[in-house]
């Protein structure tokens, strides 16, 4: 069964998504997510100009060979654009295989290892009180684990803090602002390091010791600052402290790890198993954050997570809304089948996105499930997709108070 058509579809129902649709000679259709927040068009060109011409005529069921062909063939390896393009092809081929064999993809990955995948939602507030409202909203929405992000006194908008919610409102935070140049935000690490531990203490006092709490430092600390924060948060027993240092500096976590037992997660910006070799083989992290969309698809992320399993490191797959519903579905099939599952991030897509991508995964009682539809279980509505044109949108840039560029 050969690949007969390959289409790259860009749609923007609230935010930009890149989807690859492959159609085989006997009419089976597969979808793959190649969305890279702020660099979507780079992936579109990589696919349209360098990958699609190679795909038409290839056998659709040679998934591993196609992955290796696209990974080794270009000579220039790894990187977010390449691995997002490979991811889109890989997911589409797994989708096709599932549809051809009449089973959900998780069955092809070894079958169900758990009833459902524990999800964590996002809660944020410019103040502690606003954060409490957001946490209550997420608990009311069925989440049993919550990431907490809070404003920092003296600073304006900071990472992860959307507009304050009223009771009952949905969390809706899209960091990529629609503009031709990125928004600039200001940062003060000292103010953040003084403030965050008091906020986590207040959350524990309000919501108790048992609620799994996660926090994302978003690459902003030095190794020693990461160690200080990890130690300061230790009494509050976080589920994880994410990206406390810039992820590509793998050795930075040696310092953090040696000073604190607060669990560590990193990797949403990492896209191949080679980017994790020190992190995993030295057990510097507890959770792998890469998404299937950014790490070469189901095949690429499976390679990372199988390597992680050898060292007792678990999955914590990235699931922000810049992972499309196709990418989320791919994650859920891995979540259900893998033994070393940890937790799954879930930011709920908005109504317009769900008009474009018809999903069949479910979120019930705090658990996600990919469902039983053959393949990945997501269909794309062309008419709805065509209604939402691409608009340039960039993630913010971050500067210290003296103007020095810092990590966002
Ligand atoms: C997370 C991530 C996101 C990223 C976003 C980038 O933990 O979900 O850090 O908030 O900033 O996915 O596009
Ligand atoms: Mg993150």
């Amino acid at each position: 069964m050969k690949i007969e058509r390959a289409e790259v579809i860009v749609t923007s129902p609230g935010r930009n998504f890149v989807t690859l649709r492959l159609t085989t000679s006997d009419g089976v259709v597969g979808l793959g997510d190649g969305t890279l927040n702020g660099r979507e068009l780079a992936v579109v060109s990589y696919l349209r100009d360098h990958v699609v011409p190679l795909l038409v005529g290839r056998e659709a069921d040679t998934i591993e060979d196609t992955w290796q062909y696209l990974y080794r063939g270009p000579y220039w390896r790894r990187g977010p654009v390449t691995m997002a393009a490979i991811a889109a092809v890989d997911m589409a081929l797994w989708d096709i295989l599932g549809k051809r064999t009449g089973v959900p993809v998780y069955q092809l990955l070894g079958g169900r290892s758990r009833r459902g995948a524990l999800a964590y939602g996002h809660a944020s507030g410019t103040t502690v009180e606003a954060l409490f409202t957001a946490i209550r909203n997420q608990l009311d929405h069925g989440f049993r684990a919550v990431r907490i992000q809070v404003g920092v006194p003296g600073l304006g908008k900071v990472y992860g803090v959307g507009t304050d919610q009223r009771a009952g409102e949905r969390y809706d935070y899209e960091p990529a602002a629609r503009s031709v140049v990125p928004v600039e935000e200001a940062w003060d690490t000292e103010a953040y390091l003084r403030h965050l531990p008091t906020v986590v203490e207040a959350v524990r006092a309000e919501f108790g010791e048992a609620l799994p709490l996660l926090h994302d430092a978003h690459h902003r600390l030095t190794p020693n600052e990461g160690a200080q924060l990890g130690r300061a948060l230790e009494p509050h027993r976080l589920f994880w402290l994410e990206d406390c240092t810039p992820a590509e500096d793998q050795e930075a976590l040696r310092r953090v790890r040696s000073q604190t037992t607060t669990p560590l997660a990193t990797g949403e910006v990492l896209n191949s198993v080679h980017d994790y070799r020190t992190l995993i083989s030295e057990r510097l992290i507890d959770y792998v954050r890469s998404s299937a969309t950014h790490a070469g698809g189901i095949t690429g992320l499976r390679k990372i997570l199988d390597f992680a399993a050898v060292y007792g490191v678990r999955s914590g797959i990235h699931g922000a809304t810049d992972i499309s519903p196709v990418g989320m579905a791919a994650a859920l099939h891995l979540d259900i089948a893998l033994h070393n599952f940890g937790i799954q991030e879930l930011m709920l897509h908005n109504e317009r996105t769900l008009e474009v991508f018809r999903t069949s995964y479910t979120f019930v009682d705090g658990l996600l499930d990919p469902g039983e539809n053959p393949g990945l279980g997501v269909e794309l509505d062309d008419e709805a997709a065509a209604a939402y044109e691409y608009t340039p949108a960039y993630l913010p840039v971050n500067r210290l108070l003296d103007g020095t560029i810092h990590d966002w």
Side-chain angles (χ1 to χ4, degrees):
M1 185 187 63
K2 295 195 183 299
I3 297 168
E4 197 168 74
R5 273 186 79 198
E7 306 153 87
V8 182
I9 298 138
V10 183
T11 181
S12 188
R15 64 158 340 281
N16 296 313
F17 293 111
V18 177
T19 306
L20 175 68
R21 178 165 57 204
L22 300 182
T23 307
T24 66
S25 42
D26 45 358
V28 182
V29 172
L31 296 179
D33 181 23
T35 303
L36 186 64
N37 206 346
R39 291 297 179 273
E40 296 86 357
L41 296 189
V43 181
V44 170
S45 165
Y46 195 106
L47 284 167
R48 280 187 180 146
D49 298 329
H50 306 298
V51 171
V52 163
L54 305 177
L55 287 180
V56 176
R58 278 187 69 88
E59 287 300 329
D61 55 3
T62 57
I63 299 177
E64 180 68 24
D65 181 66
T66 299
W67 195 92
Q68 297 292 348
Y69 178 71
L70 295 176
Y71 179 77
R72 297 170 191 272
Y75 184 72
W76 309 107
R77 297 183 184 189
R78 298 190 285 170
V81 175
T82 299
M83 299 314 281
I86 294 176
V89 176
D90 185 74
M91 284 183 212
L93 293 179
W94 279 106
D95 196 14
I96 287 167
L97 183 58
K99 288 176 179 174
R100 270 189 59 222
T101 49
V103 296
V105 167
Y106 78 79
Q107 290 289 12
L108 303 171
L109 300 174
R112 196 173 275 276
S113 294
R114 56 192 55 79
R115 281 189 310 284
L118 175 66
Y120 74 89
H122 286 202
S124 70
T126 54
T127 64
V128 177
E129 295 67 34
L131 176 59
F132 284 6
T133 302
I135 294 171
R136 288 192 192 96
N137 286 345
Q138 291 297 57
L139 296 176
D140 291 347
H141 203 91
F143 283 99
R144 297 194 315 208
V146 182
R147 183 185 92 160
I148 55 174
Q149 305 293 134
V150 68
V152 178
L155 295 184
K157 187 138 178 29
V158 294
Y159 163 73
V161 181
T163 44
D164 288 343
Q165 296 169 294
R166 287 186 299 281
E169 263 189 330
R170 243 173 46 81
Y171 180 86
D172 194 5
Y173 165 67
E174 170 47 66
R178 294 186 164 204
S179 62
V180 289
V181 287
V183 163
E184 302 224 343
E185 296 181 355
W187 182 249
D188 177 348
T189 299
E190 271 311 303
Y192 164 75
L193 290 176
R194 284 194 301 274
H195 185 56
L196 184 72
T198 67
V199 172
V200 178
E201 186 176 10
V203 170
R204 279 290 181 230
E206 182 75 12
F207 294 93
E209 296 302 316
L211 175 64
L213 295 178
L214 304 87
H215 177 72
D216 192 343
H218 227 251
H219 314 278
R220 299 182 176 207
L221 306 179
T222 64
N224 202 52
E225 291 163 349
Q228 287 173 351
L229 181 59
R231 201 179 271 185
L233 296 176
E234 242 167 69
H236 309 306
R237 295 187 58 74
L238 285 193
F239 184 93
W240 79 34
L241 172 61
E242 177 181 348
D243 281 337
C244 61
T245 52
E248 71 274 22
D249 180 1
Q250 297 186 54
E251 290 76 9
L253 286 184
R254 284 182 183 145
R255 172 80 181 136
V256 183
R257 202 57 155 182
S258 69
Q259 299 298 315
T260 178
T261 57
T262 292
L264 302 175
T266 199
E268 68 185 45
V269 296
L270 303 181
N271 45 71
S272 90
V273 65
H274 300 286
D275 305 318
Y276 280 98
R277 288 168 71 135
T278 305
L279 288 167
I280 290 174
S281 62
E282 294 186 16
R283 293 182 169 86
L284 300 181
I285 56 174
D286 301 280
Y287 299 95
V288 165
R289 283 286 287 136
S290 292
S291 65
T293 304
H294 298 142
I298 289 170
T299 302
L301 184 53
R302 180 73 190 255
K303 293 178 193 301
I304 296 170
L305 292 173
D306 283 349
F307 177 53
V310 174
Y311 295 89
V313 176
R314 289 178 283 172
S315 71
I317 297 176
H318 183 200
T321 35
D322 51 295
I323 303 293
S324 91
V326 177
M328 175 58 85
L332 298 186
H333 287 281
L334 278 167
D335 287 337
I336 281 299
L338 283 173
H339 180 257
N340 57 322
F341 167 76
I343 198 166
Q344 172 64 50
E345 178 177 13
L346 173 65
M347 277 177 72
L348 298 167
H349 288 105
N350 64 32
E351 292 309 313
R352 287 168 291 164
T353 301
L354 298 175
E355 272 171 38
V356 174
F357 297 94
R358 309 272 183 212
T359 57
S360 56
Y361 53 81
T362 56
F363 175 55
V364 177
D365 261 354
L367 301 180
L368 282 158
D369 193 291
E372 297 304 320
N373 287 2
L376 293 176
V378 182
E379 303 303 327
L380 187 140
D381 181 317
D382 277 300
E383 208 178 310
Y388 300 110
E389 292 228 322
Y390 168 79
T391 311
Y394 296 111
L395 290 170
V397 158
N398 199 22
R399 291 182 183 274
L400 299 178
L401 298 182
D402 69 359
T404 307
I405 279 279
H406 195 58
D407 290 294
W408 175 69

